Amino acid sequence: MSKNKRGKALWRMPSRARGTCPICGSTRIKLLYLGKDAAGEKLNVCKKCDGKQAAV
Ligand SMILES: [Zn+2]
C-alpha cells in the first residue's frame, strides 16, 4: 500500500484533501480521518478528530 495521507495522493482528491473540519472547525486542514457526525454518519475529519463523533 502506498501512503494515502501524504504527498501526491492528496492532490488527486477533491479539494486536495483540505477543508474545514466539521468537528473542531479548523479551516484549510487535511480531512483524511474518519469520524462521525451527530447522526452517526461517516464523516471526514482532521487528524485531531480522528474517530470522534460530532457533538449533538
Ligand atoms: Zn477536527
Side-chain angles (χ1 to χ4, degrees):
M1 282 264 292
S2 59
K3 293 177 182 176
N4 291 327
K5 292 179 170 63
R6 289 189 184 185
K8 284 271 166 59
L10 303 181
W11 241 240
R12 291 194 290 265
M13 296 174 72
S15 70
R16 293 177 177 174
R18 287 184 188 265
T20 301
C21 175
I23 296 186
C24 68
S26 294
T27 56
R28 294 178 54 95
I29 201 164
K30 286 192 286 186
L31 303 175
L32 295 170
Y33 299 84
L34 206 58
K36 290 177 182 175
D37 67 8
E41 293 292 316
K42 286 177 184 171
L43 204 62
N44 287 325
V45 299
C46 73
K47 191 173 187 176
K48 285 186 291 183
C49 301
D50 186 17
K52 286 188 183 174
Q53 182 166 10
V56 181

